[in-house]
Amino acid sequence: MDPHGESRSLLTDGYIAWSFQIGPATQYLCSVLGTNAVPPLKALSFPGRESVFLAVDCAAASRIPPHVSDENGRDFWVLDRKISSGGPVVPQIMPAPLTVSDVRGRADLSDLQFPIFFENVDGKLGIPLEAAAAGRCGTLRNAQEYAQLGAWSTTHICIAWLGYQWFARLIRVRDDTPPHRDDPITVATFAHRVGESVNSFLTECKPDPGYTSSDGQCWRIGEEGVQPNNVMIIGAVNPSAISWMPILQFIRHPSTEYDTIADVKNRRINWEAIVNLTS
């Protein structure tokens, strides 16, 4: 069996491919790994943890510690998690990853980070939006460990919900409180800030007038559509050196029908027009 074909098959079962389509998801994961193709994946499951891990062997002598180990003590990095129970995954548009030149040649700040998944200590994957936005994130696994968010002191939480205008909110990813000033923020704090950002999007979002007709799906937001109490934050991906995008899933299937929107297959997003890349 072709290992790369098998990897692609496994990736199609994961949250990232369902959120951003398989092509952009594969490009992002290759950028994270620094490879031209996704290496052979292994599906790992652990007792008491509800979602299968889609993982690759750790590179020898890497500075990045392993995420999980199998029953034989073999170390792996987690690229995605297999979709578990719940409603539909929210589709979004992922822009092409930024190159080193896009961040003014600052190679130390151009590395993309592995996706972060919000898993609870009871093994359940994801945190309800309302809990995250309110800062009730203490039940997350490794809640007080540093979130691996890269070298920047700020980043943007970006949402490309189909049928709505692009959303970007600036957040700090360094601690502001003594004696931890300028330390990376914790996983719990990151989940909180992602939750606040998603909540702001649902409150402030505006329809995109550029979408007029399509075969795509756009879940309506508002009083007669999607509400915060039906959104779960599964985790977040790092498609550019200056942004993270949340992985979102409905807790249950929305009662509202989806709107039809314009075809997004070839839609491009210009990072330069959204955020200032200068330091």
Side-chain angles (χ1 to χ4, degrees):
M1 180 179 291
D2 175 9
H4 295 299
E6 184 179 11
S7 291
R8 184 179 178 88
S9 177
L10 283 172
L11 280 178
T12 59
D13 294 333
Y15 276 100
I16 299 177
W18 275 83
S19 297
F20 305 105
Q21 299 186 354
I22 186 64
T26 301
Q27 185 178 8
Y28 160 64
L29 294 173
C30 287
S31 297
V32 170
L33 295 169
T35 59
N36 293 322
V38 176
L41 287 176
K42 184 172 183 179
L44 300 174
S45 58
F46 300 93
R49 303 178 78 170
E50 71 172 1
S51 173
V52 171
F53 294 74
L54 304 179
V56 295
D57 275 306
C58 288
S62 172
R63 61 181 174 80
I64 303 172
H67 300 149
V68 294
S69 301
D70 67 9
E71 66 278 5
N72 299 315
R74 190 171 162 192
D75 293 332
F76 291 86
W77 290 323
V78 176
L79 296 188
D80 204 352
R81 301 287 293 268
K82 189 173 182 179
I83 294 176
S84 57
S85 59
V89 175
V90 176
Q92 298 186 63
I93 307 166
M94 179 186 285
L98 290 179
T99 64
V100 172
S101 61
D102 290 324
V103 288
R104 307 294 187 253
R106 300 178 63 181
D108 59 319
L109 299 180
S110 63
D111 293 339
L112 301 186
Q113 305 298 310
F114 281 92
I116 292 175
F117 293 96
F118 299 135
E119 183 180 3
N120 294 278
V121 293
D122 64 2
K124 294 187 180 299
L125 185 63
I127 180 170
L129 170 57
E130 290 185 318
R136 300 194 302 272
C137 306
T139 61
L140 293 177
R141 187 182 295 270
N142 304 323
Q144 298 309 313
E145 291 187 6
Y146 292 151
Q148 302 302 310
L149 301 172
W152 294 87
S153 60
T154 60
T155 193
H156 294 79
I157 302 300
C158 299
I159 300 173
W161 190 297
L162 302 187
Y164 289 85
Q165 295 180 21
W166 176 269
F167 174 89
R169 180 175 182 262
L170 184 70
I171 67 167
R172 274 191 59 79
V173 292
R174 297 285 166 176
D175 201 323
D176 290 324
T177 59
H180 306 291
R181 189 176 302 279
D182 292 330
D183 285 351
I185 60 174
T186 64
V187 170
T189 300
F190 181 55
H192 180 204
R193 293 180 183 174
V194 171
E196 289 179 319
S197 300
V198 176
N199 205 48
S200 292
F201 165 75
L202 293 179
T203 302
E204 304 167 7
C205 63
K206 298 177 181 178
D208 185 345
Y211 291 107
T212 56
S213 64
S214 176
D215 56 357
Q217 294 184 1
C218 167
W219 296 104
R220 289 196 299 269
I221 298 170
E223 292 183 2
E224 298 182 356
V226 174
Q227 298 286 322
N229 63 5
N230 192 25
V231 177
M232 182 80 74
I233 305 175
I234 300 299
V237 297
N238 179 216
S240 82
I242 40 70
S243 73
W244 286 79
M245 298 182 73
I247 301 169
L248 305 173
Q249 183 179 19
F250 296 120
I251 296 173
R252 56 191 176 279
H253 200 290
S255 57
T256 179
E257 294 296 323
Y258 56 79
D259 291 329
T260 56
I261 58 173
D263 185 16
V264 300
K265 292 185 177 67
N266 298 312
R267 184 171 174 82
R268 298 180 63 85
I269 294 175
N270 183 356
W271 286 110
E272 295 268 4
I274 299 165
V275 295
N276 181 3
L277 297 180
T278 59
S279 57

